Amino acid sequence: MLKIPNKFASPLIILLLISVSAVAGEKLNVVTTLTDFADIAKQIGGDKVEAFAIAKGYQDPHFVDPKPSYIIKLQKADLFVHGGMDLESGWVPPLLEGARNANILPGAKGHVDASKGVHLLEVPSGDPAQLRAQGDIHIYGNPHYWLDPVRGKQIAENICAALSRLQPQNEAYFKSNLEAFTKKIDAKVAEWQALMQPYNGVKIVAFHNSWPYFDERFGFDIVAFIEPKPGIPPTPKHLAAVIDQMNQIGVKVIIVEPYYSKDPCNLVASKTGAKVLELATAVDGAPEVKSYLDVFDYNLKKLIAAFQQIAEAGNNGK
């Protein structure tokens, strides 16, 4: 056994304690694909993390320019959180390859697929090649699961587990934050569902199929899409069919993501008397949306205001 002379023992112990303390107090660098994941990471990690989201809240998460500055962020990352399910398959692989950070690659301690353990919707069956030929079909299911706040709790659990792996000395702190986040979500979901209850079953039209989880949680009914297939621009023939359907069943609301052209929606609205609502699909998707909870506060407030105006006009869209 190595014997340390007494005259060096105390300074060495002090240095070790300082070193351990520095590691314990060092913030983890978290890089996420989406702003929602970054906000959840901040809420679970608290003052133990610095979080950065690559895609902005107003950007289409399917298509992000893989800038060199993002590679530098990933080179320094302790934790990488992505949506999985091929959502970011066009831009995450080249960023990870360029970063060459083994600590955040699939299977490493610093890699989180946020979809792990999430109950998924619209999981297709059949040959993947044929499915992709039908448009922007995701072969693992609809990837917009973070638009259900209850599923957001699973995302938070996944991030909490990863933070605890990287800083086990702070596991109790992360779990305490997770518990507070979960309670906050449960309270807000009860409040939101009570607000939406009068509008249960109201029929609406959406531009893109981003909303099945949001729809399922809050009880409205998406009956058609402006896109004929996911990722395929609408044709005049398809828009005419949507207009005809909306007029037949009295649909008066069209929802659209911030990053899609509003022109087709406005055209359909002009023929049906519908309102076009731009909803936020992520944190920073609108100036007022600064947190994960704000996403739902903002969207539901806009929907309820529209439903109330429609009801006052004598057409509730059911």
Side-chain angles (χ1 to χ4, degrees):
M1 175 183 289
L2 177 64
K3 291 186 177 181
I4 300 173
N6 288 337
K7 64 179 181 179
F8 297 126
S10 294
L12 182 58
I13 290 171
I14 291 171
L15 283 173
L16 286 171
L17 289 173
I18 291 173
S19 177
V20 169
S21 175
V23 170
E26 190 174 319
K27 289 190 176 186
L28 293 169
N29 285 319
V30 181
V31 176
T32 71
T33 53
L34 306 184
T35 51
D36 301 78
F37 302 156
D39 184 68
I40 293 172
K42 290 175 186 174
Q43 296 194 48
I44 305 305
D47 60 3
K48 313 297 182 190
V49 305
E50 293 284 351
F52 172 81
I54 295 174
K56 308 308 176 192
Y58 50 81
Q59 283 185 297
D60 185 346
H62 299 84
F63 305 102
V64 174
D65 184 15
K67 298 177 181 177
S69 60
Y70 301 150
I71 291 176
I72 295 172
K73 288 282 186 183
L74 288 167
Q75 285 173 339
K76 299 175 181 177
D78 300 298
L79 184 66
F80 174 61
V81 184
H82 67 113
M85 303 178 66
D86 278 354
L87 175 70
E88 312 102 331
S89 60
W91 51 278
V92 161
L95 287 177
L96 288 179
E97 184 178 352
R100 298 184 179 182
N101 180 350
N103 295 324
I104 60 169
L105 294 178
K109 290 170 65 175
H111 183 98
V112 173
D113 180 341
S115 71
K116 182 181 178 183
V118 173
H119 174 63
L120 301 171
L121 300 177
E122 301 179 355
V123 180
S125 59
D127 180 18
Q130 292 186 358
L131 290 170
R132 291 190 187 285
Q134 298 173 25
D136 188 21
I137 297 291
H138 294 276
I139 61 173
Y140 303 109
N142 192 297
H144 303 275
Y145 54 85
W146 67 90
L147 286 169
D148 171 16
V150 174
R151 287 174 170 87
K153 295 191 297 184
Q154 181 62 54
I155 298 170
E157 285 187 28
N158 293 336
I159 291 174
C160 180
L163 293 175
S164 299
R165 286 197 302 270
L166 294 170
Q167 281 193 347
Q169 69 274 21
N170 291 321
E171 182 175 4
Y173 174 79
F174 298 139
K175 286 187 173 179
S176 175
N177 288 345
L178 174 64
E179 184 178 355
F181 177 79
T182 298
K183 288 181 178 177
K184 198 182 304 180
I185 289 285
D186 288 341
K188 290 294 291 186
V189 167
E191 174 188 322
W192 290 324
Q193 288 184 323
L195 290 171
M196 286 295 290
Q197 197 281 329
Y199 311 104
N200 187 45
V202 171
K203 295 177 176 57
I204 68 175
V205 164
F207 184 94
H208 180 77
N209 190 14
S210 300
W211 309 98
Y213 300 93
F214 188 68
D215 173 359
E216 180 191 67
R217 184 59 57 199
F218 297 112
F220 52 89
D221 184 12
I222 296 175
V223 296
F225 297 99
I226 298 296
E227 290 180 329
K229 294 178 181 177
I232 304 298
T235 61
K237 181 180 178 181
H238 176 73
L239 293 180
V242 172
I243 291 168
D244 186 51
Q245 182 182 5
M246 290 177 67
N247 283 329
Q248 284 187 24
I249 58 178
V251 178
K252 295 297 181 184
V253 171
I254 302 170
I255 60 175
V256 59
E257 297 79 351
Y259 37 82
Y260 289 127
S261 169
K262 309 301 178 290
D263 291 346
C265 300
N266 290 333
L267 173 63
V268 172
S270 71
K271 304 295 183 182
T272 59
K275 295 180 180 298
V276 178
L277 304 180
E278 181 179 295
L279 301 186
T281 55
V283 175
D284 292 332
E288 305 95 318
V289 182
K290 299 299 184 186
S291 73
Y292 183 62
L293 294 181
D294 285 350
V295 173
F296 307 100
D297 273 329
Y298 177 81
N299 288 341
L300 293 174
K301 182 179 178 181
K302 293 191 76 168
L303 281 170
I304 289 170
F307 293 157
Q308 288 175 339
Q309 291 176 13
I310 292 164
E312 289 169 1
N315 186 344
N316 62 13
K318 287 189 177 180

